[in-house]
Amino acid sequence: MIYPVILSGGSGSRLWPVSREQHPKQFLSLHRPGVSLLQETAQRLSNLEETGTPLIVCNEQHRFMVAEQMHQSGVSAQILLEPCARNTAPALALAALLAVQIDPDAELLSMPADHVIKDEQRFATAIKQGLGLAQQGKLVTFGITPSSAHTGYGYIKRGQADGEGFTVSTFVEKPDPEQARTYVENGNYLWNSGIFLFGANAYIDALRQYAPDILEACEHAFASRQQDLDFLRIKSEMFARCRSESIDYAVMEHTKEAVVVPMDPGWSDIGAWDALYDLTAEGEDGNAVHGDVITDNVRNSLIRSESRLVAAVGVDHLVIVETADAVLVADRNDVQATKHIVHRLKEEG
Ligand code: GDD
Ligand code: MG
């Protein structure tokens, strides 16, 4: 049976100033009023056949927000609390260790909490296609046809057809711009959607082979788990010693068992303000406007007001995001660098 795992421990710094450490992007309603990205992810599961209780892996600081949002959405989920962020390889290791206790043949469907998927039916079909491969011990990725040489994604070169998918001949996580351009021109590369399907035991085996230190640290940490009301808590000293690494670098770049199932469900990773612009821009002027905003002769811009009236005149290709205590003004091409501002603010205290 498929056990969905929603990874909800990221910080979302490129969506500052709306996304904050205490309230990162996955808990915000960014494109659908009243529905957060996490809630949208959890609701997506209702389109899948025969899934077990979903597991949400998140930072302990966010436990009440996760519980409250799941309650509001009517989704009953298990919530596993990390004492600190160690990226996705350890988060999934904890999920796998928990799943094999319930069902040694469990398949994990790992879903980031910050994706928008427009066509839920196509998504459900792709997962169905991947299931047979996962049951054969493969680590299944879902690949998206690239629309640009984006450097924030993993790139998968597809090989031979293998059942409902293709073997992965190369997996390169976050290539440099030059590499990314050659991959897109090549035509045989797909973006890694960041959604994975694999047997919990197959993932544990892959960690044992390619990142045994991560597996060992997580096994120790998992052994110290405690049920705390509705939460399963990992004790901090053990987990903090684990290396911080994503599944992409720790396992997917190395494994021989990877396969890719192409899918085209209108997928976006809401990584930065430009992605939200692409998703929500409309009309002749191509603006994406949210909240109390007034514009005159403004084009191709995202303007978002959270607390005050924002007026913009005669500007093009800008991102303007207003909150009660901070305002971001950026060229739409440069919004990835918003995270540098967040780092500087942290350093300067
Ligand atoms: N529980 C937990 N703990 N979750 C985490 C942690 C952590 O320490 N770190 C990140 N996450 C969650 C994030 O909240 C997000 O939902 C998901 O894991 C993926 O992390 P990102 O940090 O957003 O990864 P990325 O976007 O840079 O890259 C991944 O996704 C791309 C597609 O969106 C990779 O898989 C790329 O290869 C892929 O192309
Ligand atoms: Mg992401």
Side-chain angles (χ1 to χ4, degrees), residues 1-4 99 103 105-109 131 134-135 197-200:
M1 176 154 23
I2 295 181
Y3 291 84
D103 173 1
D105 295 324
E107 276 87 32
L108 299 186
L109 174 64
L131 182 58
Q135 284 166 339
L197 180 63
F198 40 64

Side-chain angles (χ1 to χ4, degrees), residues 225-263:
R225 69 196 178 280
Q226 281 173 352
Q227 193 70 37
D228 173 8
L229 301 171
D230 290 338
F231 306 108
L232 191 60
R233 216 180 248 280
I234 300 301
K235 278 176 79 179
S236 94
E237 319 85 64
M238 308 285 196
F239 195 67
R241 279 186 223 143
C242 185
R243 170 160 62 104
S244 178
E245 193 66 284
S246 73
I247 178 179
D248 315 281
Y249 288 119
V251 170
M252 298 313 294
E253 282 199 334
H254 310 289
T255 179
K256 312 269 181 303
E257 302 300 334
V259 292
V260 59
V261 172
M263 70 172 180

Side-chain angles (χ1 to χ4, degrees), residues 66-84:
V66 171
E68 172 63 19
Q69 291 202 352
M70 288 307 99
H71 178 70
Q72 276 173 5
S73 313
V75 174
S76 107
Q78 261 197 300
I79 303 173
L80 180 72
L81 303 180
E82 295 167 305
C84 52

Side-chain angles (χ1 to χ4, degrees), residues 6-12 14 25-26 56-59 80 82 84-92 110-115 152-155 171-174 191-196 239 244-248 252 267-271:
I6 303 180
L7 296 175
S8 189
S11 61
R14 285 172 299 163
K25 63 174 173 185
Q26 56 270 31
I56 301 179
V57 188
C58 67
N59 194 284
L80 180 72
E82 295 167 305
C84 52
R86 285 292 176 266
N87 214 321
T88 52
L92 283 166
S110 166
M111 309 210 298
D114 56 353
H115 289 175
Y153 297 148
Y155 284 72
F171 186 108
V172 183
E173 178 62 3
K174 299 192 172 67
W191 281 339
N192 172 32
S193 66
I195 299 168
F196 301 102
F239 195 67
S244 178
E245 193 66 284
S246 73
I247 178 179
D248 315 281
M252 298 313 294
W267 169 94
S268 2
D269 171 355
I270 308 297

Side-chain angles (χ1 to χ4, degrees), residues 54-341:
L55 175 70
I56 301 179
V57 188
C58 67
N59 194 284
E60 63 179 11
Q61 296 183 62
H62 301 138
R63 62 193 180 281
F64 294 122
M65 211 148 47
V66 171
E68 172 63 19
Q69 291 202 352
M70 288 307 99
H71 178 70
Q72 276 173 5
S73 313
V75 174
S76 107
Q78 261 197 300
I79 303 173
L80 180 72
L81 303 180
E82 295 167 305
C84 52
R86 285 292 176 266
N87 214 321
T88 52
L92 283 166
L94 297 173
L97 292 166
L98 180 62
V100 291
Q101 294 219 322
I102 303 165
D103 173 1
D105 295 324
E107 276 87 32
L108 299 186
L109 174 64
S110 166
M111 309 210 298
D114 56 353
H115 289 175
V116 169
I117 289 180
K118 287 191 191 146
D119 190 332
E120 306 274 1
Q121 277 316 318
R122 279 193 185 188
F123 171 70
T125 305
I127 301 301
K128 228 178 179 175
Q129 286 175 317
L131 182 58
L133 291 160
Q135 284 166 339
Q136 293 163 30
K138 303 289 183 191
L139 306 183
V140 183
T141 68
F142 295 89
I144 309 285
T145 306
S147 54
S148 69
H150 201 297
T151 53
Y153 297 148
Y155 284 72
I156 298 166
K157 186 175 188 194
R158 71 176 143 192
Q160 307 287 320
D162 182 354
E164 300 263 21
F166 296 87
T167 58
V168 169
S169 68
T170 325
F171 186 108
V172 183
E173 178 62 3
K174 299 192 172 67
D176 63 41
E178 188 48 40
Q179 272 175 301
R181 254 194 306 278
T182 59
Y183 296 159
V184 174
E185 281 162 16
N186 178 290
N188 281 321
Y189 283 81
L190 297 164
W191 281 339
N192 172 32
S193 66
I195 299 168
F196 301 102
L197 180 63
F198 40 64
N201 266 318
Y203 179 62
I204 292 171
D205 287 346
L207 283 176
R208 189 170 292 120
Q209 193 169 354
Y210 303 110
D213 59 317
I214 293 181
L215 179 63
E216 198 184 329
C218 290
E219 279 174 337
H220 276 97
F222 186 71
S224 72
R225 69 196 178 280
Q226 281 173 352
Q227 193 70 37
D228 173 8
L229 301 171
D230 290 338
F231 306 108
L232 191 60
R233 216 180 248 280
I234 300 301
K235 278 176 79 179
S236 94
E237 319 85 64
M238 308 285 196
F239 195 67
R241 279 186 223 143
C242 185
R243 170 160 62 104
S244 178
E245 193 66 284
S246 73
I247 178 179
D248 315 281
Y249 288 119
V251 170
M252 298 313 294
E253 282 199 334
H254 310 289
T255 179
K256 312 269 181 303
E257 302 300 334
V259 292
V260 59
V261 172
M263 70 172 180
D264 183 18
W267 169 94
S268 2
D269 171 355
I270 308 297
W273 290 113
D274 53 346
L276 194 67
Y277 170 82
D278 290 339
L279 195 69
T280 56
E282 55 186 18
E284 241 175 56
D285 293 334
N287 293 323
V289 167
H290 170 95
D292 197 4
V293 171
I294 179 163
T295 60
D296 188 66
N297 190 25
V298 171
R299 287 170 197 281
N300 310 310
S301 295
L302 178 138
I303 307 180
R304 187 174 180 104
S305 145
E306 296 282 330
S307 70
R308 281 165 290 185
L309 169 68
V310 173
V313 181
V315 295
D316 191 1
H317 216 267
L318 280 192
V319 165
I320 304 172
V321 181
E322 179 276 342
T323 66
D325 63 351
V327 177
L328 171 75
V329 179
D331 188 283
R332 237 179 67 209
N333 287 333
D334 293 326
V335 289
Q336 303 292 332
T338 306
K339 66 171 175 227
H340 301 154
I341 302 278

